[in-house]
């Protein structure tokens, strides 16, 4: 999928990928001229956006729903995925791209469910970008009509700025993190279409105000949807599965009938 | 950290432009940063010097143009400056606002030779 790849230099490692292509920008024999000013209007994230567009058309051509899961570390992204994949069971094939700075722990947890997973280690990098994800998806080779979950690096800041080609960003916020998170990290909540308010099983032990959290999220993004869930107890998971199924319906719209793996 | 990778993106663009527009050295880079973009100007400055070291833009000056963000109110239609995404409309108090400017992060100008 990476047709115009400028790989190397970003320090990310994709599990199992021998990253062959190198790319050196040889400056040729151009001659120095006098100092001049060049006017440009170039979006610095344009390259990421171009890779994201490639990923998006890869998914669209195959009727695949791709979701980008974003949150602070430890909100329960992997736990939710494990639970979700279990509930989807044989109904819907799931694939997972796992992003962490180090370790393949999360990909191992996913593979234990039977779902294919590829781990990306970003090293010092604090977010996934569309280029790494394109290579990871290439390795995963997801089947037509499936769901690809991309678990981003635990970080509520910059993953907001990097389009990966997903249909939706889903923000996971656990009830131990405080009601003010949507206001403190507004970019992430502005970029997401859904919030999963996780660890709801802990609510009886906390004085976390769910209504205030939802109100804060809506100040930043008036159309954002919020579902209260628990990966531990399973509470609210049906509503999330229903949202997922509807989103998948959208991904399949226009996709040739009868060819999707139902 | 994040700004370091953004500087890598800038360097990539400089290298591409050097080929396309036939220059060897960059002495000044002018970058526009919208106040609601994910970029922290000071962190970008720090990363810029580190990343440009040994490249065609070694010792280049980084000019940062910070643009104020604007939002349009979806209830009353007023357009006004917005400092934070959750600021209500100053005319009617609504939170239904669409950011119309302030998310930019782009190279505006290069000085090269
Ligand atoms: N009580 C409770 N604990 C949970 C729930 N979901 C996750 N946890 C716990 O929260 C911790 C972090 O969960 P993970 O699934 O690793 O979170 P993560 O967001 O994937 O973490 P990173 O990938 O490291 O950012 C673990 O100890 C989980 O068992 C939940 O619904 N309720
Ligand atoms: Mg995880
Ligand atoms: Zn590549
Ligand atoms: Zn980052
Ligand atoms: Zn208004």
């Amino acid at each position: 999928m990476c047709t115009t790849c400028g790989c190397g230099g970003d320090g990310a490692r994709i599990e199992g990928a021998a990253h062959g292509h190198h790319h050196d920008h040889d400056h040729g024999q151009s001659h120095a001229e006098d100092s001049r000013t060049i006017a440009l209007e170039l979006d610095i994230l344009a390259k990421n956006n171009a890779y994201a567009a490639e990923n998006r058309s890869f998914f669209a051509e195959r009727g695949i729903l791709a979701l980008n899961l974003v949150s602070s570390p430890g909100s329960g992204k992997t736990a939710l995925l494990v639970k979700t994949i279990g509930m989807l069971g044989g109904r819907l094939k799931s694939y997972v791209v796992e992003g962490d700075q180090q370790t393949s722990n999360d990909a191992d947890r996913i593979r234990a469910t039977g779902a294919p997973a590829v781990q990306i280690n970003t090293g010092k990098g604090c977010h996934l970008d569309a280029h790494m994800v394109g290579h990871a998806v290439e390795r995963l080779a997801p089947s037509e009509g499936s769901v690809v979950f991309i678990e981003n690096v635990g970080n509520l800041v910059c993953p907001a700025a990097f389009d990966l080609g997903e249909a939706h960003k889903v923000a996971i916020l656990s009830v131990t993190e405080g009601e003010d998170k949507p206001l403190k990290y507004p970019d992430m909540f502005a970029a997401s279409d859904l919030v999963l308010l996780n660890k709801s099983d802990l609510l009886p032990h906390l004085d976390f105000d769910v209504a205030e959290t939802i109100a804060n999220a809506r100040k930043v993004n008036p159309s954002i949807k919020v579902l209260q869930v628990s990966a531990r107890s399973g509470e609210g998971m049906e509503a999330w599965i229903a949202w997922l199924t509807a989103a998948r319906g959208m991904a399949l719209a226009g996709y040739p009938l009868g060819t999707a793996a139902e | 950290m994040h700004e370091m990778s953004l500087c890598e993106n800038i360097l990539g663009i400089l290298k591409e432009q050097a080929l396309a527009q036939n220059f060897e050295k960059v002495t000044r880079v002018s970058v526009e940063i919208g106040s609601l973009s994910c970029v922290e100007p000071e962190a970008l400055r720090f990363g810029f010097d580190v990343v440009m070291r040994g490249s065609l833009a070694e010792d280049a000056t980084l000019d940062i143009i910070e643009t104020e963000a604007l939002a349009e109110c979806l209830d009353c239609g007023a357009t006004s400056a917005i400092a934070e995404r959750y600021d209500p409309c100053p005319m009617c108090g609504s939170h239904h606002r669409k950011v119309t400017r302030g998310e930019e992060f782009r190279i505006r100008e290069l000085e090269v030779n």
Side-chain angles (χ1 to χ4, degrees):
Chain A
M1 133 163 44
C2 182
T3 49
T4 53
C5 186
C7 287
D10 57 12
R13 268 183 298 116
I14 297 166
E15 207 180 25
H19 219 135
H21 35 208
H22 283 295
H23 205 82
D24 48 40
H25 295 273
D26 188 356
H27 288 184
Q29 304 306 318
S30 62
H31 286 281
E33 292 165 51
D34 291 343
S35 184
R36 63 192 156 112
T37 300
I38 301 175
L40 295 173
E41 285 291 334
L42 272 182
D43 189 336
I44 292 161
L45 292 177
K47 200 161 207 163
N48 182 72
N49 295 339
Y51 284 122
E54 273 182 42
N55 295 350
R56 191 163 278 119
S57 60
F58 175 94
F59 296 134
E61 282 160 15
R62 291 163 182 77
I64 293 172
L65 170 66
L67 300 176
N68 180 358
L69 274 57
V70 293
S71 82
S72 52
S75 66
K77 298 179 292 299
T78 310
L80 273 168
L81 280 177
V82 167
K83 186 86 180 170
T84 303
I85 292 165
M87 288 178 74
L88 290 174
R91 270 195 297 147
L92 187 46
K93 189 121 177 75
S94 309
Y95 295 82
V96 179
V97 175
E98 277 292 342
D100 287 291
Q101 288 198 325
Q102 298 296 350
T103 84
S104 62
N105 296 352
D106 285 1
D108 296 340
R109 284 164 69 193
I110 298 295
R111 284 191 282 251
T113 70
V118 166
Q119 180 78 48
I120 300 175
N121 284 135
T122 56
K124 292 188 175 57
C126 39
H127 57 266
L128 291 179
D129 66 39
H131 174 236
M132 309 167 184
V133 168
H135 279 298
V137 169
E138 211 167 42
R139 287 200 58 76
L140 270 178
S143 59
E144 302 192 351
S146 63
V147 183
V148 173
F149 296 101
I150 304 163
E151 180 181 332
N152 220 311
V153 178
N155 172 356
L156 268 180
V157 188
C158 48
F162 289 82
D163 183 7
L164 304 179
E166 72 277 352
H168 304 280
K169 285 190 179 69
V170 177
I172 291 98
L173 179 65
S174 59
V175 297
T176 52
E177 293 174 64
E179 298 86 350
D180 57 357
K181 287 302 163 295
L183 301 182
K184 286 186 173 166
Y185 301 96
D187 296 346
M188 193 60 88
F189 292 86
S192 298
D193 295 317
L194 176 69
V195 178
L196 295 178
L197 205 51
N198 189 35
K199 308 195 187 180
S200 68
D201 57 290
L202 298 177
L203 282 172
H205 312 288
L206 306 166
D207 56 3
F208 183 84
D209 189 333
V210 172
E212 186 189 337
T213 310
I214 296 175
N216 286 340
R218 297 234 162 99
K219 280 182 191 169
V220 171
N221 180 350
S223 60
I224 201 161
K225 293 194 162 57
V226 183
L227 295 176
Q228 193 174 309
V229 298
S230 167
R232 176 74 46 90
S233 73
E235 186 204 340
M237 291 296 290
E238 290 78 17
W240 154 238
I241 298 288
W243 183 93
L244 197 73
T245 308
R248 196 243 178 175
M250 295 297 286
L252 275 179
Y255 188 74
L257 280 177
T259 49
E262 273 297 338
Chain B
M1 224 173 324
H2 168 68
E3 276 74 9
M4 294 290 255
S5 75
L6 296 177
C7 290
E8 299 280 0
N9 283 303
I10 295 176
L11 181 57
I13 292 175
L14 298 182
K15 288 175 172 177
E16 277 170 16
Q17 291 294 318
L19 284 182
Q21 310 225 30
N22 200 41
F23 57 81
E24 288 180 340
K25 192 136 181 58
V26 179
T27 52
R28 185 174 60 83
V29 179
S30 154
V31 169
E32 176 181 0
I33 302 179
S35 67
L36 293 181
S37 75
C38 62
V39 188
E40 187 48 47
E42 275 324 301
L44 192 76
R45 259 183 218 296
F46 174 80
F48 187 83
D49 293 339
V50 175
V51 170
M52 299 307 153
R53 203 163 292 155
S55 79
L56 75 168
E58 172 142 34
D59 297 327
T61 316
L62 176 65
D63 280 350
I64 294 180
I65 305 157
E66 293 181 62
T67 33
E68 181 182 55
L70 295 176
E72 185 187 328
C73 178
L74 301 179
D75 285 329
C76 77
T79 290
S80 51
I82 183 168
E84 300 296 346
R85 286 188 195 274
Y86 47 80
D87 287 348
C89 170
M91 305 306 285
C92 75
S94 170
H95 282 284
H96 290 233
R97 304 178 80 194
K98 187 166 154 278
V99 173
T100 53
R101 196 184 77 187
E103 294 178 324
E104 304 74 15
F105 178 42
R106 58 189 172 210
I107 300 182
R108 287 264 289 261
E109 210 174 78
L110 300 179
E111 204 169 279
V112 304
N113 56 48

